[in-house]
Amino acid sequence: MPTPVPHTTANAAELPDPKRWWALAVIAGAQLMVILDGTIVNIALPSVQNGLGMSDANRQWVITAYSLAFGGLLLLGGRIADLVGRKRTFMIGLVGFAAASALGGAADGPGTLFAARALQGACAAVLAPSALSLLTTTFTDPAERGRAFGIYGALAGGGSAIGLLVGGLLTEYATWRWCLYVNVPIALAALGGALALFKDSPGQRGVRLDVPGALLASGGLVAIVYGSSDAESAGWADPLVLTLFATGVVLLTVFVWWQSHAKHPMLPLHIVRDRTRAAALATMGLATVAMFGAFLFLTYYLQAILDYSPLRTGLAFLPMSVTIVIGATQIAARLLRHTAPRNLMAPGMLLAAIGMLLLTRLSTNSAYTTGVLPALLLLGLGMGLTFMPVYATATAGVAPKDAGVTSATVSTFQQIGGSLGTVLLNTLASSAATRYIDAHPSRSPGLGLGTGEGMVHGFTVAAWWSAGVLLLAALVAAMAKTPEKP
């Protein structure tokens, strides 16, 4: 195949790289693997717990070990992509992810699995920003860029729901271990594609790793997410929880100060000072807070209340995945060339909020087709309309030397939003369920926390909070100063 032409808009329009769409398939496959691994073990968690003898208190680390490492190290991963080169970083991330997945699948105890999941998250933190920056530099023609980001946005939004489906399928017909083993062939296929399709790109000159900034940012994010996670069992007023929150806030405050004084900052503040980009990042974070929380309580609702099997639970999320793809590729990608991003993001968040409000009406007698399905369709369409313009807008107009860190910032907002949403909404749901059962003992005889009417009441409370978060996201998107075209 001919050598790709230099990545300039003019040359791309005259002599488009014939390998660019194959390259997109490789990038999308790797990104899908990273995103779905945040949820693929959710439905398998009961089987994992029984198989490895985990306690109820420790089982959460199967999920949070991944999200903590992923979210906490993403900014560093973005700078590594700028320093080492995108293709090289992409391949290193793939190899590490495959090795970590194999280790987790073969785990003979909780400690090994937790370590493997954390290693997966660290490798994902290297892989995700290099994948997005490769996409940004591969597609420079405005029309093709919109289509490419539509596909990428659909995978970013739908990957979590696809993870639930695949997790249910593998858990029911194979074993929970295949929820991890499945990454190995995907990563190896993407590695082969990267070797064949991507052009070597040297690291950017003048880029240096900001080690103090990396420690401050990672430490602050990890402290806040860990504190939110620990609040579920210890309570919000627990001294350790308050200490973790305070530590996280202090570390992030010092991080911001350091970025304005460092010679080679890990996150140049001009990236987030841009009002358009800041609005896109905030919208992404708020949207994933609500979406990941919905995944959690709907998974338990379908299995515990409607008595769905793991596979049937995964299939129940499929309509949401389909509407995310439709919203991103068939609607947002076509309209973004003719309208401002906020005109897609704000209505998308409103649609998602309406879908979440429908979930506040769930009861122990609700049916999937009337109680859950309409909400999933609206949530999926709203997320599809939102994620595509968010990705396109947040990475537009960035200098080449900042492409990796900007891509990492987008993924950081998504991952941290998902982590906080899972923890915060689960805590709200559990607390509401406890209060309901205590107030209505005669209506829930013999039921423990998180079951029956109390469980559903907790879910509806979480849905109200999620709807509020989505409305806030719509307001942020609508008030942003955005250009007519990205």
Side-chain angles (χ1 to χ4, degrees):
M1 293 183 180
T3 303
V5 296
H7 291 297
T8 64
T9 303
N11 287 340
E14 296 170 5
L15 297 172
D17 181 1
K19 298 185 292 186
R20 64 197 182 283
W21 295 108
W22 288 106
L24 174 61
V26 173
I27 295 169
Q31 178 67 8
L32 177 61
M33 179 182 68
V34 168
I35 296 297
L36 67 82
D37 249 67
T39 57
I40 195 171
V41 298
N42 283 39
I43 294 177
L45 195 54
S47 299
V48 176
Q49 183 178 3
N50 292 333
L52 297 182
M54 293 180 194
S55 66
D56 289 343
N58 289 333
R59 65 187 178 186
Q60 64 171 322
W61 286 106
V62 178
I63 298 172
T64 54
Y66 180 82
S67 61
L68 281 172
F70 193 2
L73 296 174
L74 264 169
L75 287 172
L76 180 62
R79 266 309 182 210
I80 291 175
D82 290 332
L83 176 66
V84 178
R86 300 179 189 96
K87 176 181 177 178
R88 192 175 305 167
T89 306
F90 184 79
M91 294 171 61
I92 292 172
L94 286 172
V95 171
F97 204 95
S101 299
L103 176 64
D108 58 359
T112 303
L113 180 58
F114 298 157
R117 289 288 285 169
L119 182 57
Q120 276 187 312
C123 293
V126 174
L127 181 59
S130 58
L132 185 53
S133 57
L134 279 169
L135 182 65
T136 302
T137 54
T138 299
F139 290 90
T140 54
D141 177 75
E144 290 192 346
R145 183 183 176 92
R147 291 170 59 193
F149 271 102
I151 295 171
Y152 189 88
L155 289 175
S160 299
I162 294 171
L164 296 171
L165 173 60
V166 174
L169 181 66
L170 293 174
T171 301
E172 186 154 337
Y173 290 107
T175 170
W176 65 264
R177 296 182 183 276
W178 274 100
C179 293
L180 296 162
Y181 284 144
V182 71
N183 295 314
V184 176
I186 297 175
L188 293 179
L191 181 64
L195 285 168
L197 298 171
F198 296 149
K199 182 180 178 181
D200 282 320
S201 56
Q204 297 290 333
R205 294 180 180 179
V207 175
R208 298 290 185 273
L209 288 182
D210 177 14
V211 176
L215 293 175
L216 289 168
S218 300
L221 291 172
V222 168
I224 290 175
V225 173
Y226 184 84
S228 300
S229 176
D230 201 47
E232 181 179 355
S233 57
W236 296 105
D238 181 78
L240 176 60
V241 172
L242 295 176
T243 300
L244 286 168
F245 282 143
T247 301
V249 171
V250 169
L251 288 175
L252 291 178
T253 301
V254 176
F255 168 74
V256 173
W257 173 85
W258 174 252
Q259 295 309 283
S260 65
H261 291 78
K263 185 176 181 181
H264 300 284
M266 184 174 68
L267 176 60
L269 294 183
H270 67 265
I271 291 176
V272 293
R273 285 194 184 115
D274 180 85
R275 185 171 175 179
T276 300
R277 187 171 296 111
L281 294 172
T283 301
M284 170 62 82
L286 292 169
T288 51
V289 164
M291 186 175 75
F292 277 68
F295 286 154
L296 179 69
F297 62 73
L298 276 178
T299 296
Y300 280 97
Y301 178 81
L302 292 170
Q303 293 193 60
I305 303 301
L306 299 188
D307 198 28
Y308 278 23
S309 67
L311 175 59
R312 193 178 180 187
T313 300
L315 288 171
F317 284 97
L318 188 58
M320 181 178 181
S321 300
V322 172
T323 51
I324 286 177
V325 172
I326 293 173
T329 62
Q330 302 304 310
I331 301 177
R334 297 172 185 270
L335 294 180
L336 188 59
R337 287 174 286 174
H338 309 290
T339 189
R342 65 182 176 191
N343 294 334
L344 296 172
M345 293 188 293
M349 288 293 89
L350 285 175
L351 281 176
I354 294 172
M356 197 65 72
L357 286 173
L358 294 180
L359 293 178
T360 65
R361 305 182 64 181
L362 288 178
S363 71
T364 55
N365 299 317
S366 297
Y368 171 78
T369 53
T370 56
V372 178
L373 180 59
L376 289 179
L377 294 174
L378 289 173
L379 281 169
L381 184 59
M383 294 297 174
L385 286 174
T386 301
F387 284 148
M388 185 270 160
V390 162
Y391 274 104
T393 302
T395 57
V398 178
K401 69 175 183 177
D402 292 327
V405 70
T406 304
S407 302
T409 304
V410 180
S411 298
T412 296
F413 273 75
Q414 182 182 23
Q415 192 64 31
I416 295 300
S419 300
L420 288 174
T422 298
V423 173
L424 293 174
L425 293 173
N426 186 61
T427 300
L428 290 168
S430 299
S431 301
T434 301
R435 292 192 298 269
Y436 183 92
I437 292 173
D438 290 343
H440 304 85
S442 62
R443 298 181 64 177
S444 303
L447 295 180
L449 175 61
T451 59
E453 291 185 359
M455 183 180 188
V456 176
H457 174 72
F459 293 162
T460 58
V461 170
W464 278 110
W465 280 97
S466 297
V469 170
L470 291 170
L471 288 174
L472 177 60
L475 181 62
V476 170
M479 295 181 64
K481 180 181 178 181
T482 52
E484 289 303 312
K485 293 184 180 181

